[in-house]
Coordinates of all heavy atoms in Angstrom, one line a residue:
A692 N 34.2 49.3 -40.6 CA 33.2 48.5 -41.4 C 33.4 47.0 -41.2 O 32.4 46.3 -41.1 CB 33.4 48.9 -42.8
R706 N 24.3 33.8 -32.5 CA 25.4 33.4 -31.6 C 25.6 34.4 -30.5 O 26.0 34.0 -29.4 CB 26.6 33.3 -32.5 CG 27.9 32.8 -31.8 CD 29.0 32.7 -32.9 NE 30.2 32.2 -32.3 CZ 31.3 31.9 -33.0 NH1 31.3 32.1 -34.3 NH2 32.4 31.5 -32.3
R716 N 43.5 54.7 -30.8 CA 44.9 54.7 -31.3 C 45.4 56.1 -31.1 O 44.8 57.1 -31.6 CB 45.0 54.3 -32.8 CG 46.4 54.2 -33.2 CD 46.6 53.2 -34.3 NE 48.0 52.9 -34.5 CZ 48.8 53.4 -35.4 NH1 48.3 54.3 -36.3 NH2 50.1 53.1 -35.5
A739 N 26.3 52.0 -26.8 CA 27.7 52.1 -26.5 C 27.9 52.4 -25.0 O 28.9 52.2 -24.4 CB 28.4 53.1 -27.4
D769 N 56.0 48.1 -3.3 CA 56.7 47.2 -2.3 C 56.1 47.5 -0.9 O 56.7 47.0 0.1 CB 58.2 47.5 -2.3 CG 58.7 46.9 -3.7 OD1 58.4 45.8 -4.0 OD2 59.5 47.7 -4.3
D774 N 51.6 46.6 6.9 CA 51.9 47.9 7.4 C 50.7 48.8 7.5 O 50.7 49.7 8.3 CB 53.0 48.5 6.5 CG 54.4 47.8 6.8 OD1 54.5 47.1 7.8 OD2 55.3 48.0 5.9
H782 N 49.3 34.4 10.6 CA 49.8 33.1 9.9 C 51.0 33.4 9.0 O 51.1 32.7 8.0 CB 48.7 32.5 9.2 CG 47.4 32.3 10.0 ND1 47.4 31.5 11.1 CD2 46.2 32.8 9.8 CE1 46.2 31.5 11.6 NE2 45.4 32.3 10.8
T786 N 55.1 39.4 5.3 CA 56.0 39.9 4.3 C 55.3 40.0 2.9 O 56.0 40.4 1.9 CB 57.2 38.9 4.2 OG1 56.7 37.6 3.8 CG2 58.0 38.8 5.5
T794 N 51.0 40.6 -8.9 CA 51.6 39.5 -9.8 C 51.0 38.2 -9.4 O 51.5 37.1 -9.9 CB 53.1 39.5 -9.7 OG1 53.5 39.3 -8.3 CG2 53.7 40.8 -10.2
V799 N 47.7 33.7 -1.3 CA 46.4 33.5 -0.7 C 45.3 33.6 -1.7 O 44.4 34.4 -1.7 CB 46.1 34.6 0.4 CG1 46.9 34.2 1.7 CG2 46.5 36.0 0.0
P803 N 37.2 29.9 1.6 CA 36.6 28.8 2.2 C 35.5 28.2 1.2 O 34.9 28.9 0.4 CB 35.9 29.4 3.4 CG 36.7 30.6 3.7 CD 37.1 31.2 2.4
T812 N 28.8 40.4 -0.2 CA 28.2 41.8 0.0 C 28.7 42.4 1.3 O 28.3 43.6 1.5 CB 26.7 41.7 0.0 OG1 26.2 41.0 1.1 CG2 26.2 41.0 -1.3
I821 N 40.0 36.9 4.6 CA 41.3 36.8 4.0 C 42.4 37.1 4.9 O 43.5 36.5 4.8 CB 41.3 37.8 2.8 CG1 40.3 37.3 1.7 CG2 42.7 38.0 2.2 CD1 40.0 38.3 0.6
V848 N 43.8 47.5 0.9 CA 44.9 48.4 0.9 C 44.5 49.8 0.5 O 44.9 50.8 1.2 CB 46.1 47.8 0.0 CG1 47.2 48.9 -0.1 CG2 46.6 46.5 0.6
E874 N 30.3 54.5 -16.8 CA 30.7 53.4 -17.6 C 31.8 52.5 -17.1 O 32.1 51.5 -17.7 CB 31.0 53.9 -19.0 CG 29.9 54.6 -19.7 CD 30.3 55.0 -21.1 OE1 31.0 54.3 -21.8 OE2 29.8 56.1 -21.6
A882 N 21.1 53.3 -8.6 CA 20.4 54.0 -9.6 C 20.8 53.6 -11.0 O 20.1 53.7 -12.0 CB 20.6 55.5 -9.5
D883 N 22.0 53.0 -11.1 CA 22.5 52.5 -12.4 C 22.2 51.1 -12.8 O 22.4 50.7 -13.9 CB 24.1 52.7 -12.5 CG 24.5 54.2 -12.6 OD1 24.2 54.8 -13.7 OD2 25.0 54.7 -11.6
L887 N 22.0 48.4 -16.8 CA 23.0 47.3 -17.2 C 22.3 46.3 -18.2 O 21.1 46.2 -18.3 CB 23.3 46.5 -15.9 CG 23.9 47.2 -14.7 CD1 24.4 46.3 -13.7 CD2 25.0 48.2 -15.2
R918 N 31.0 30.9 -8.3 CA 31.8 30.8 -9.6 C 31.5 32.1 -10.4 O 30.4 32.6 -10.4 CB 31.3 29.6 -10.4 CG 31.8 28.3 -9.7 CD 31.4 27.0 -10.3 NE 31.9 25.9 -9.6 CZ 31.3 24.7 -9.7 NH1 30.2 24.5 -10.4 NH2 31.9 23.7 -9.0
P927 N 21.7 41.5 -8.1 CA 21.8 42.9 -7.8 C 22.6 43.3 -6.6 O 23.4 44.2 -6.6 CB 20.3 43.4 -7.7 CG 19.5 42.4 -8.4 CD 20.3 41.1 -8.3
F949 N 42.5 52.4 -20.9 CA 43.8 51.9 -21.3 C 44.6 52.9 -22.2 O 45.8 53.0 -22.1 CB 43.7 50.5 -22.0 CG 43.7 49.3 -21.1 CD1 42.5 48.8 -20.6 CD2 44.9 48.8 -20.7 CE1 42.5 47.7 -19.7 CE2 44.9 47.7 -19.8 CZ 43.7 47.2 -19.3
L952 N 46.4 55.1 -20.1 CA 47.5 54.5 -19.4 C 48.8 54.6 -20.3 O 49.9 54.8 -19.9 CB 47.3 53.1 -19.1 CG 46.4 52.8 -17.9 CD1 46.1 51.3 -17.8 CD2 47.1 53.3 -16.6
L970 N 54.4 48.7 -16.2 CA 53.1 48.0 -16.3 C 53.2 46.9 -17.4 O 52.6 45.9 -17.4 CB 52.0 49.0 -16.7 CG 51.8 50.2 -15.7 CD1 50.5 50.8 -16.0 CD2 51.8 49.7 -14.3
T986 N 52.2 31.2 -17.8 CA 51.5 32.5 -17.6 C 52.6 33.6 -17.3 O 53.6 33.3 -16.6 CB 50.5 32.4 -16.5 OG1 49.6 31.4 -16.7 CG2 49.8 33.8 -16.3
S1003 N 41.3 39.7 -19.2 CA 40.2 39.0 -19.9 C 39.2 38.5 -18.8 O 39.7 38.2 -17.7 CB 40.6 37.9 -20.8 OG 41.5 38.4 -21.8
G1015 N 53.4 49.6 -28.1 CA 54.2 49.8 -29.3 C 53.4 50.3 -30.5 O 54.0 50.9 -31.4
T1019 N 44.7 50.5 -28.1 CA 44.0 49.8 -27.0 C 42.7 49.2 -27.6 O 42.1 49.8 -28.5 CB 43.7 50.7 -25.8 OG1 42.7 51.7 -26.2 CG2 44.9 51.4 -25.3
N1025 N 27.0 40.2 -23.7 CA 26.1 39.8 -22.5 C 25.6 38.4 -22.6 O 24.9 37.9 -21.7 CB 24.9 40.8 -22.4 CG 24.1 40.9 -23.6 OD1 24.5 40.6 -24.7 ND2 22.8 41.3 -23.4

Side-chain angles (χ1 to χ4, degrees):
R706 187 174 178 179
R716 187 150 194 262
D769 294 313
D774 287 346
H782 309 300
T786 61
T794 56
V799 284
T812 67
I821 292 168
V848 170
E874 299 183 36
D883 287 292
L887 306 189
R918 289 174 181 159
F949 272 94
L952 285 172
L970 308 192
T986 303
S1003 299
T1019 68
N1025 60 336

